[in-house]
Amino acid sequence: MSNPALENTIHEILDLKRMREELDATITALEDSIKAVMGDEELLTAGAYKVSWKTFTSSRVDTTALKKALPDIAAQYTKQTTARRFSIN
């Protein structure tokens, strides 16, 4: 399917994604500067703002190890889904 009329829309999407990447990089740099000030502290107050940077633990299933050790059980509990992926190249 060819639709030259959508070229401007696609160009705008790509520009916005580029800007988002730049904003994400700026946000990450600013967050890192706050983390550098915090050091090992978990809480910081800055005027009306409270910043927390706390350690937490999460548990996840190691599916690669499960498939290797118990492939039949891994297959029994594996659920397939179908979706459409949108991409612009």
Side-chain angles (χ1 to χ4, degrees):
M1 175 179 179
S2 179
N3 191 334
L6 289 177
E7 186 174 1
N8 286 337
T9 301
I10 292 168
H11 182 72
E12 184 177 3
I13 289 170
L14 295 175
D15 279 347
L16 290 169
K17 285 184 176 188
R18 180 190 49 78
M19 288 189 291
R20 177 176 59 195
E21 289 173 5
E22 291 173 2
L23 286 171
D24 286 343
T26 301
I27 290 168
T28 298
L30 292 171
E31 289 174 344
D32 288 346
S33 70
I34 294 170
K35 291 174 186 176
V37 170
M38 292 179 76
D40 291 334
E41 297 295 322
E42 290 190 345
L43 297 171
L44 171 107
T45 302
Y49 301 98
K50 293 180 183 177
V51 179
S52 67
W53 186 30
K54 296 182 179 184
T55 302
F56 68 95
T57 304
S58 64
S59 298
R60 295 186 178 101
V61 174
D62 183 347
T63 56
T64 303
L66 178 63
K67 287 176 185 177
K68 187 175 181 180
L70 303 167
D72 293 338
I73 292 175
Q76 182 180 351
Y77 289 97
T78 298
K79 181 173 93 173
Q80 287 188 341
T81 59
T82 303
R84 293 175 67 181
R85 179 173 291 131
F86 181 81
S87 67
I88 298 173
N89 299 314

